[in-house]
Amino acid sequence: PARPDPTAAAQLLAAAGWKRNLTTGRWDLPSGRPAQLVIGAAAERTEDVQVAQIVAKQLDAAGITATVVAPPAVDLFGGQATVPATPPSTTAAPTPTAPEPTPTSTPSSPAASATGTPTTSPSPSGGGARVDLMVLPRTVGGDLGTELSSDYGCPQPTSLIPDPPRGPTGFCFPALQPLFDELTGSDPRPNLTATVEQLLWQQVPALPLFQPVTLVVSTPASDAATGIGPGPLATGPVTGAQGWRVSSR
C-alpha cells in the first residue's frame, strides 16, 4: 500500500487473535502477552539502522513495542536465530492515545532493502535477542529470475551440503521454486515474471523500503564498445552461472 491504513491493520491483527489491552492501549498477542518485536539491522549499514529505528517508531505508535538491535552483519545475516543485542536501541515510552500507522513505506521498484519475514518470537535473554524483522539489502538491476530465486527460493540439499541454509529473507515457498527455476532458464513463459511477483506480493515475505540513488552515464561509443546499453544490466561475470558444469580439466 502507498499509505498506511490503521483501520485495516487493526482488523487484520484482530482477525489473527490479537487484542487491544484496555488498560495500556497496546496490542496483546493471542496468548495474552504484550506484543513485542525485535528488528535487526547490520551495524555496518547505517542507513539500514536508521530505517529500522523509523519502523520501530511506527510500530510503537501503532501500539506494538519494538526494539532495534544492530549486531555485526556476519551475525545478523549468518542465519543465527539469536544475535548479540548490541548496540540496542529501544523505542520511546508507550503512548496509548497515539495514532496507529502501520509500518509501511511507499514501495520503490526495484527495492535495495527490505524487511524480512518474521520467523521467531522475540525473547531477548543473556545479552542476545531473537530477531523478528530484518532490514537487509537486496541486489537489483541484474537477472530477475536469479535475484528472486536467491532471495525467496528454497535451497536444495546436495551431497556436499545436505542441510543448506535458507536465503537472506528466511522465506521458502516450495510451490514457487519450479517457477524460479523456469525464470532462470533459457525460455521462460511470457508473463511468468508478473505471475511470480503477484504470488510473492500475496505472501509478503519482504516489503520494499528504499533504494540508494546512483547514476551511470551511457554514450553511443561506450555502448558499442561494451555491448551494454541503457537500462538494467542483463549480463555480467556470472551470467549463465545456473547452467555451469564442473570441468574435467
Side-chain angles (χ1 to χ4, degrees):
R3 293 181 178 84
D5 189 340
T7 301
Q11 292 173 347
L12 289 172
L13 290 175
W18 292 37
K19 296 180 180 180
R20 277 281 192 182
N21 188 301
L22 298 181
T23 303
T24 65
R26 315 287 287 177
W27 283 100
D28 287 341
L29 298 173
S31 63
R33 294 186 296 107
Q36 298 181 11
L37 295 177
V38 176
I39 306 173
E44 301 91 332
R45 298 180 58 86
T46 55
E47 286 183 324
D48 290 4
V49 176
Q50 292 171 0
V51 169
Q53 291 169 344
I54 292 172
V55 172
K57 289 180 180 179
Q58 292 180 339
L59 285 167
D60 183 71
I64 300 173
T65 301
T67 302
V68 174
V69 294
V74 67
D75 292 334
L76 185 64
F77 302 147
Q80 300 182 19
T82 303
V83 298
T86 55
S89 174
T90 310
T91 58
T95 51
T97 58
E100 42 181 55
T102 54
T104 57
S105 305
T106 302
S108 59
S109 179
S113 187
T115 54
T117 305
T119 56
T120 58
S121 300
S123 65
S125 61
R130 294 274 183 109
V131 175
D132 300 287
L133 300 171
M134 281 199 300
V135 179
L136 63 133
R138 287 192 57 210
T139 55
V140 296
D143 177 70
L144 182 60
T146 301
E147 291 174 6
L148 293 175
S149 184
S150 297
D151 289 337
Y152 309 119
C154 301
Q156 301 300 309
T158 65
S159 57
L160 294 177
I161 309 177
D163 187 21
R166 288 192 174 190
T169 62
F171 176 81
C172 175
F173 188 23
L176 281 175
Q177 190 60 47
L179 303 183
F180 293 148
D181 295 340
E182 183 178 348
L183 279 175
T184 57
S186 58
D187 188 25
R189 285 171 289 172
N191 301 322
L192 180 60
T193 298
T195 300
V196 170
E197 290 188 333
Q198 182 180 13
L199 292 171
L200 284 172
W201 273 113
Q202 292 173 355
Q203 298 291 325
V204 198
L207 183 66
L209 295 174
F210 75 97
Q211 178 177 354
V213 176
T214 57
L215 177 65
V216 177
V217 178
S218 172
T219 67
S222 65
D223 294 348
T226 63
I228 300 175
L233 298 178
T235 186
V238 292
T239 298
Q242 71 276 8
W244 292 356
R245 297 293 182 268
V246 177
S247 174
S248 59
R249 290 186 294 177

